[in-house]
Amino acid sequence: MTPRRPATPRPAISRAGALLAAAALTVAALLLAGCGGRPTTHHRPGTSHQEATGDSGTLLPARDESGHRLRELPAADAPTVRAEARPDSEGGWNVHLTVERFRFTPESTGGAALPGRGHARLLVDGRETTRLYGPWGYVPPGAHTLTVRLHADDHTVWAVAGTPVQATVRLGTTPSTSAPTASAPAAPTSSAPASVPAASSTPASSAPPSPPPTGPGRTVTLTITGTTVQPPPSRIELKKGELLTLRVTGDRADTLHVHGYDRELPLSPGTTATLTLTVDRTGLFEVETHESGLVLTQLVVR
């Protein structure tokens, strides 16, 4: 009778080895759930995970005059802004901003609120007129007070102690410079400052009559595909009183907004929408979409 061979013993798996294997599987699952696998948060093209999902400061229930929520930061971490206005040779004022702990990030507008990033908004006589994605801007003639306010990429307002981070300049016939502030805009007074010519004492809310359109006008055709605008955003030079027609076709429902003119136009997917207006105000005005926050073009009216 042939003797049986003893069975070969199987190597025992140590408890430490089992724990290491389980940890490796957990890490792999987390990577697949985050940016390494199928994304759980929509990233705008060209933005990082932090830019798409980051958040900083404390979102307050208070809002500014335009309805934007305030985002509170400690004074040591908050940005600051100074504004200088110099008369333009063709009328109005050229505005230069000096910022600290802040940089302009037009490439990530509409993303998350990250510290030290965003854009500025100009309020002329208490009314929001345009955005600035850089240190220079223009204010048309006839304005009395300019307020520059800093916003985060998600359009909230950077704030300290419950008040917006901003600077206010009283516009006159000589260069004016503001100090960095984080206080609410100055309350309107019943009379114009001494440096403002008497002819400028007309209330800011009463606009001059619109001049008749000059020439045949301009037609601008824009196409929106996702986050891409064709032709790419640029500045359109126009003469005051010129007739402008915007023809916009998008691939999603949205609202077109012409800043400074308070003109809006609903957009439907695949349908060309048309907006015609007479550009009767001088300055720099942005044309953007509300929902997607895309800047489509800028109007420079002289």
Side-chain angles (χ1 to χ4, degrees):
M1 192 172 179
T2 306
R4 296 179 61 185
R5 294 182 180 180
T8 303
R10 296 181 180 180
I13 299 176
S14 67
R15 182 176 181 181
L19 291 175
L20 288 175
L25 289 174
T26 301
V27 171
L30 290 174
L31 288 175
L32 289 175
C35 293
R38 183 176 179 179
T40 57
T41 301
H42 175 66
H43 289 205
R44 296 183 65 183
T47 62
S48 67
H49 178 74
Q50 183 188 23
E51 290 172 331
T53 62
D55 193 18
S56 46
T58 302
L59 194 60
L60 304 179
R63 298 176 182 266
D64 69 359
E65 303 91 330
S66 302
H68 302 105
R69 295 278 295 274
L70 304 190
R71 186 175 293 276
E72 178 88 18
L73 284 177
D77 301 330
T80 64
V81 58
R82 294 171 60 94
E84 181 181 11
R86 294 183 173 274
D88 185 85
S89 59
E90 296 185 351
W93 289 268
N94 294 312
V95 180
H96 181 252
L97 308 184
T98 302
V99 295
E100 295 181 1
R101 295 189 295 274
F102 186 82
R103 65 187 179 95
F104 295 94
T105 52
E107 71 280 359
S108 57
T109 298
L114 299 180
R117 300 166 59 114
H119 58 275
R121 301 201 182 203
L122 299 187
L123 289 81
V124 176
D125 293 329
R127 179 183 179 186
E128 184 178 312
T129 58
T130 190
R131 299 183 195 174
L132 291 187
Y133 292 101
W136 286 97
Y138 174 79
V139 175
H144 298 163
T145 305
L146 167 68
T147 299
V148 179
R149 186 171 295 167
L150 296 186
H151 286 247
D153 281 333
D154 68 346
H155 305 293
T156 56
V157 182
W158 291 120
V160 175
T163 54
V165 174
Q166 61 188 30
T168 298
V169 178
R170 300 290 288 177
L171 300 173
T173 56
T174 58
S176 302
T177 304
S178 73
T181 63
S183 59
T189 58
S190 57
S191 60
S195 59
V196 178
S200 299
S201 60
T202 304
S205 60
S206 59
S210 301
T214 59
R218 297 274 300 277
T219 298
V220 177
T221 302
L222 302 168
T223 302
I224 306 170
T225 305
T227 59
T228 301
V229 181
Q230 290 294 336
S234 62
R235 291 189 173 182
I236 302 172
E237 298 280 345
L238 298 162
K239 293 181 180 180
K240 183 178 180 180
E242 192 170 354
L243 191 67
L244 172 67
T245 299
L246 297 172
R247 292 174 52 82
V248 182
T249 306
D251 59 354
R252 68 183 69 180
D254 212 322
T255 301
L256 178 78
H257 184 201
V258 182
H259 281 279
Y261 288 88
D262 290 332
R263 295 291 300 274
E264 294 187 349
L265 178 69
L267 302 178
S268 300
T271 302
T272 300
T274 302
L275 174 65
T276 301
L277 73 155
T278 301
V279 289
D280 54 3
R281 300 179 61 189
T282 58
L284 177 63
F285 308 98
E286 287 188 340
V287 180
E288 67 164 2
T289 54
H290 273 176
E291 297 299 326
S292 56
L294 294 176
V295 176
L296 307 185
T297 190
Q298 292 181 327
L299 309 178
V300 181
V301 185
R302 303 186 186 279

